[in-house]
Amino acid sequence: MKKIGCILYGIAFGIVLTKSEVISWFRIQNMFLFKEAHMYLIIGSAVAVGALSIQVIKKFKVKTLKGEEIRYSGKPFNKGFIIGGLIFGLGWAITGACPGPIFAQIGAGEYPAIFTLAGALTGAFVYHSVKEKLPR
Amino acid sequence: MSSIFGLWHWYIAGPLIGLFVPALLICLNKMLGISSSFEHICMLVLPEGKRSIFRFNMEENGWKILFVAGIMAGAFIASHFLSSTAPHFLPQKYYSAQGYGKLFIGGLLVGFGTRYANGCTSGHTIFGLSLLQSSSLKATLSFFAGGLIYTFFAYHF
């Protein structure tokens, strides 16, 4: 049951990403060139709704459907957030895709994105092979 | 109001994306995030001896592989059944050997960078900022700085 839920949420997420063209290389270019506000408004309104929801969950101590306590936490900062973040940003501008949209581009039939995914998997593997030597 | 077959405007799509934060917490008790699915896929592809480098938290991140499979299916549905014209998301130049190489290198940076930064646009920008985390704000600003740097050089040199 939980597995079906994960897939259904993925399908819904994929539909929204695709129909709002967040997965479009052209939209990402226009964002980084400040040519249109589309991406900024999407990200901004998504964060606003997300942040408001978290406040509601906190304030009313909302439980999960199963009645469990909702568990969430932030991530403790280290230098990798900046260095890795910059590296990811370069890749984002080149491919026009952050991780979710890579999968969406493939699903939408933009098959060259398979190369993006192959690169991303290789990149994750390389990271884990050298992570002990990287600054934190 | 345009039909659902056209572009979904920001004021529809943005709030919908934001609603995944509480929806995933309330229904599945999971934090939105995608880039750790790369590690899961690596582990499925690699021989057993190489898997140990990942120290993958299956309890926390194991669901994401189903989530990204769903994203792929959702994108297929959106582009085939919910679009009046076939949408294009990649420029024609990427349909070439050189383009594939460029996407692979870009992908390499995405995979390496998101794992080093411990999150991507969903985990840091949407989820982390929703939690008002300064660490995720620093990560998000770095994502944008990287993208702006690349775009600036790509257009001016």
Side-chain angles (χ1 to χ4, degrees), chain A residues 2-3 5-7 9-27 29 31-35 38 40-43 45-47 49-55 57 62-66 68-95 97-113 115-132 134-136, chain B residues 4-11 13-32 34-35 37-39 41-42 45-46 50 53-55 59 63 66-68 70-80 82-84 87-95 100 102-127 129-133 135-136 138-139 142-151 155:
Chain A
K2 195 160 186 177
K3 286 183 177 168
C6 296
I7 295 174
Y9 269 121
I11 291 174
F13 203 61
I15 290 175
V16 180
L17 293 183
T18 306
K19 288 309 299 173
S20 59
E21 298 183 358
V22 165
I23 69 166
S24 164
W25 178 90
F26 303 97
R27 296 275 177 195
Q29 287 295 298
M31 169 178 72
F32 286 132
L33 292 170
F34 300 106
K35 273 191 181 165
H38 184 74
Y40 292 104
L41 291 167
I42 287 190
I43 294 171
S45 57
V47 171
V49 169
L52 197 69
S53 313
I54 294 289
Q55 293 309 314
I57 286 174
V62 177
K63 295 269 193 291
T64 66
L65 291 182
K66 282 182 173 170
E68 300 162 331
E69 190 150 340
I70 290 180
R71 281 175 280 116
Y72 58 88
S73 56
K75 295 168 176 172
F77 179 78
N78 66 61
K79 274 185 235 151
F81 284 40
I82 305 278
I83 309 167
L86 285 169
I87 295 171
F88 161 46
L90 299 174
W92 189 13
I94 294 172
T95 62
C98 44
I102 295 177
F103 296 99
Q105 286 180 351
I106 295 171
E110 295 284 11
Y111 71 82
F115 290 91
T116 315
L117 180 61
L121 297 177
T122 311
F125 178 73
V126 172
Y127 166 73
H128 281 283
S129 309
V130 301
K131 63 186 167 193
E132 261 81 36
L134 298 172
R136 293 274 161 199
Chain B
I4 61 161
F5 295 97
L7 171 72
W8 290 12
H9 291 286
W10 69 267
Y11 49 84
L16 278 177
I17 292 171
L19 282 176
F20 278 82
V21 169
L24 287 169
L25 284 173
I26 291 168
C27 297
L28 302 166
N29 217 355
K30 295 295 178 200
M31 299 184 274
L32 178 66
I34 290 174
S35 57
S37 67
F38 294 151
E39 292 164 352
I41 299 172
C42 282
V45 178
L46 289 168
K50 297 233 175 201
I53 61 165
F54 289 101
R55 281 189 236 117
E59 165 81 32
W63 67 283
L66 296 172
F67 189 66
V68 299
I71 290 177
M72 227 184 258
F76 179 85
I77 293 167
S79 54
H80 287 80
L82 295 174
S83 299
S84 38
H88 289 287
F89 301 114
L90 284 176
Q92 205 53 44
K93 65 176 182 184
Y94 281 148
Y95 280 81
Y100 302 154
K102 209 170 162 187
L103 286 176
F104 183 83
I105 291 167
L108 209 65
L109 299 173
V110 171
F112 185 93
T114 54
R115 295 329 302 142
Y116 193 6
N118 196 13
C120 61
T121 0
S122 52
H124 276 312
T125 307
I126 306 294
F127 193 79
L129 290 186
S130 291
L131 293 186
L132 310 177
Q133 289 286 314
S135 59
S136 287
K138 287 174 194 159
S142 307
F143 302 163
F144 276 91
L148 289 172
I149 290 167
Y150 178 80
T151 310
Y155 274 80

